[in-house]
Amino acid sequence: MSSENSETRDRILDAAWTLLEEKAGSGVRMSDIARQAGISRQAVYLHFPTRAELLVAVTRHIDRVKDTDKRLEASRNAAGGIERLDAFIDAWGNYIPEIHGVARALIAMKDTDEAAAAAWDDRMQAVRHGCEAAVQALDEDGLLRPESTLRQSTDILWTLLSVANWEQLTGACGWSQAQYIEQMKSLARAGLLSREAEQHG
């Protein structure tokens, strides 16, 4: 891809990012994005043939700009399962407030907008993958509850770390971000670890 095409692509993605945050779920059309980027609608379609492709690309663009790989380094390089779990909760839990505007927009749109649903599902599957990796590390250390399968444990952690729970706790309940992170770590351990692991943790 030429530098000019790459620059245009980034302008489109940045424009869509801005509009998603500003409109907060009221819908973002390709023509709106084109206008925000200062290019023709045809130019947008040249880079992104469908809205679904564009919205998925926007969420991945945000991850690149905010360098999620760097944020996840501590989790990926952790020496053990509990360390990986805590580091993943730090990384994702502290990322939620930074992408909450876009997340809120996609959540509001997804029930009636297939493109928004595709973008939201793409990102949530990425989060689930991180949860699965943390659970796998706990299992390799022999720390998981024996009555739960790997899938069930992943389900528990994925649900615990949902954007909806973050909104409820830091919004309606008034928790600080630090309180949220601390309690998520505590709740994750209580829900995932065997009694023996909790006693020695």
Side-chain angles (χ1 to χ4, degrees), residues 13-35:
L13 294 172
D14 286 336
W17 182 357
T18 297
L19 289 173
L20 282 169
E21 290 189 327
E22 289 179 353
K23 288 179 174 285
S26 62
V28 177
R29 300 172 300 178
M30 296 293 256
S31 56
D32 297 328
I33 295 167
R35 190 177 306 111

Side-chain angles (χ1 to χ4, degrees), residues 8 26 39 61 73 78 80 87 94-95 100 104 116 123 127 132 158 176-177 180 192 198:
T8 301
S26 62
I39 60 177
H61 174 67
E73 272 185 4
N94 285 314
Y95 191 44
H100 183 237
R104 184 177 55 184
R123 291 299 81 201
V127 175
E132 187 176 35
W158 192 40
S176 69
Q177 184 63 21
Y180 166 79
L192 299 176
E198 281 192 90

